[in-house]
Amino acid sequence: MKALRCAALAALFAVAALGMLYLAPAQARPKQNERISVFAPRLPRQAQLVLHGSCNAGLMRALILDYQRLHPGVEVRYSHLDTQELYDRALRAGNAGERADLLLSASTDLQTKLVNDGYARAHRSPQGQALPAAARWRDEIFAYGYEPVAMVYHSGRLDPAQAPRDRDGLLRLLRRADRPLLGRIAVQDPRDSAVAYFIATQDAKLLGPGAAPLLAEFGAQRAQPYKRMDALLDRLGDGELSLAYGVFGSYALQRIERGAPLRLVLPRDHLLLVARTALIPRDAPHADEARRFLDHLLSPRGQTILAREAYLIPASTDIAPPQAYRGVLGAVANPRRVPLGLGLLVYLDATRRRNFLRDWSAALGPGG
């Protein structure tokens, strides 16, 4: 009987422990738009690193696993968040369940604002100092790679011989009498996505007077706006769309590698290169581990992995770009790496933002 009571108590204790495991850290549960990947340590856990990033975990997987080869006792938790949520969490720093050790985001304007408003820690190291001056600011924010903002098309829906190579070619295609892209072209929606807003404002700044005619043609062709890049590429890969404008090269190449019938075009007239940036929050729970990972990210070893596995153009000019880009980068007339600094805060002004989005919505028309 005593043995039975002990067994029953043990069972109850196990159930209670499981309940504590799943119920106690309620604030740490994934939110609706959060996807958490846990990379278990190779040895008994000695340290933990919490990363909040805007790119999907697949693009960071190789780098994280390589870091764990060097530091096998570190558990890495990677939360995939959209860039607005990533920024908002940094402002809610008092909530322990939402604290990150390192923020990795493609909304370079929001990252810069966090630095400017005092939410980041300084980190000075040989790896950071080796970056070009335009790729670091105040020793608090660092570009670890650059995304080419590209056009992507479905090779079965659009003849590769007719696919545009630059924006003039895209305009000619949009203005053709047979309207081959009517209702079948997609753009990211800057009204619902912080990173789409950043891309759209930087693209408009780069194109100058040429931005308005292109946007007007998108409206005339009933371009479909998407909040999420993955959803846009799903529709494009399924053949429901023919062409997408303003897509990150890494996301498209990830699909192409898996067999999607897509082709990537780096516009030869002007190529916008958006920085993916890293910063250590001022309240990072494991700041020393964050510094160590950031140095790995910026090291020649880390930069080489990011170029090969994440399809990022390295921030270090000593490392070759991804193989998939090498044949076309040389044909691009004006590749422009967006420099870090206060200039990125211009379009975060409330009046400028409201006016930009008003004009964007008006150009796309009722369907947009």
Side-chain angles (χ1 to χ4, degrees):
M1 182 65 70
K2 184 177 179 180
L4 286 173
R5 281 200 302 270
C6 289
L9 286 171
L12 285 170
F13 179 80
V15 170
L18 284 171
M20 290 174 65
L21 178 66
Y22 285 99
L23 296 178
Q27 72 275 15
R29 290 179 183 173
K31 305 294 190 297
Q32 184 177 359
N33 295 323
E34 180 180 15
R35 283 154 287 185
I36 296 178
S37 300
V38 179
F39 296 81
R42 292 165 169 253
L43 298 177
R45 193 178 97 173
Q46 300 167 346
Q48 186 181 51
L49 175 68
V50 180
L51 306 175
H52 288 181
S54 63
C55 69
N56 62 51
L59 291 175
M60 294 299 295
R61 179 179 177 81
L63 185 87
I64 292 171
L65 292 177
D66 186 65
Y67 181 75
Q68 290 182 313
R69 290 187 190 98
L70 300 174
H71 309 285
V74 179
E75 177 191 86
V76 180
R77 295 177 64 86
Y78 183 87
S79 288
H80 179 201
L81 301 157
D82 66 46
T83 59
Q84 186 65 54
E85 174 63 16
L86 191 149
Y87 171 81
D88 292 342
R89 286 195 183 195
L91 300 184
R92 300 195 298 265
N95 189 340
E98 295 185 341
R99 289 181 191 166
D101 300 313
L102 198 66
L103 306 182
L104 307 165
S105 176
S107 282
T108 319
D109 51 351
L110 294 181
Q111 293 274 85
T112 302
K113 184 165 173 55
L114 286 174
V115 171
N116 192 58
D117 292 348
Y119 286 90
R121 289 178 182 237
H123 175 62
R124 191 173 181 87
S125 72
Q127 289 80 5
Q129 296 304 302
L131 293 177
R136 53 188 167 86
W137 188 52
R138 294 187 181 179
D139 293 322
E140 293 180 47
I141 180 171
F142 304 87
Y144 64 87
Y146 290 86
E147 287 275 11
V149 180
M151 293 184 278
V152 185
Y153 67 93
H154 189 289
S155 58
R157 293 291 182 180
L158 184 62
D159 185 349
Q162 298 178 348
R165 296 292 175 259
D166 53 29
R167 291 174 183 82
D168 283 342
L170 177 58
L171 279 170
R172 288 193 297 271
L173 184 63
L174 291 168
R175 290 168 175 167
R176 267 177 36 180
D178 59 345
R179 307 181 81 185
L181 296 182
L182 181 64
R184 303 186 69 83
I185 186 170
V187 294
Q188 289 199 87
D189 194 339
R191 299 165 299 187
D192 292 324
S193 165
V195 70
Y197 177 74
F198 179 64
I199 293 171
T201 54
Q202 293 300 310
D203 194 51
K205 181 179 177 181
L206 180 66
L207 297 183
L214 184 60
L215 192 56
E217 285 299 329
F218 287 157
Q221 296 295 323
R222 299 205 295 271
Q224 300 182 37
Y226 282 80
K227 178 180 179 179
R228 298 192 177 280
M229 208 175 297
D230 279 328
L232 182 157
L233 288 169
D234 284 344
R235 303 290 82 74
L236 187 64
D238 291 342
E240 297 175 28
L241 299 167
S242 298
L243 184 142
Y245 179 86
V247 176
F248 280 158
S250 67
Y251 278 64
L253 287 176
Q254 201 177 27
R255 303 301 183 97
I256 292 169
E257 185 182 65
R258 296 201 297 257
L262 304 178
R263 301 281 181 92
L264 181 72
V265 177
L266 302 187
R268 296 183 179 182
D269 50 347
H270 299 284
L271 179 62
L272 182 65
L273 299 174
V274 169
R276 285 194 177 273
T277 58
L279 66 84
I280 303 173
R282 68 185 181 192
D283 64 342
H286 315 105
D288 289 341
E289 201 62 50
R291 292 187 182 98
R292 193 159 61 170
F293 185 84
L294 178 56
D295 282 343
H296 183 61
L297 192 67
L298 302 178
S299 70
R301 176 171 174 159
Q303 291 280 286
T304 300
I305 291 171
L306 287 171
R308 185 181 67 240
E309 303 293 339
Y311 311 112
L312 293 182
I313 295 174
S316 171
T317 54
D318 296 331
I319 307 297
Q323 184 68 41
Y325 299 145
R326 292 179 200 173
V328 290
L329 276 175
V332 173
N334 297 296
R336 179 179 178 271
R337 295 189 180 206
V338 176
L340 304 184
L342 286 173
L344 295 176
L345 303 183
V346 170
Y347 283 99
L348 293 181
D349 173 77
T351 301
R352 280 182 176 267
R353 178 183 174 84
R354 183 170 57 252
N355 291 342
F356 182 89
L357 294 178
R358 178 200 61 206
D359 294 343
W360 192 92
S361 298
L364 254 68

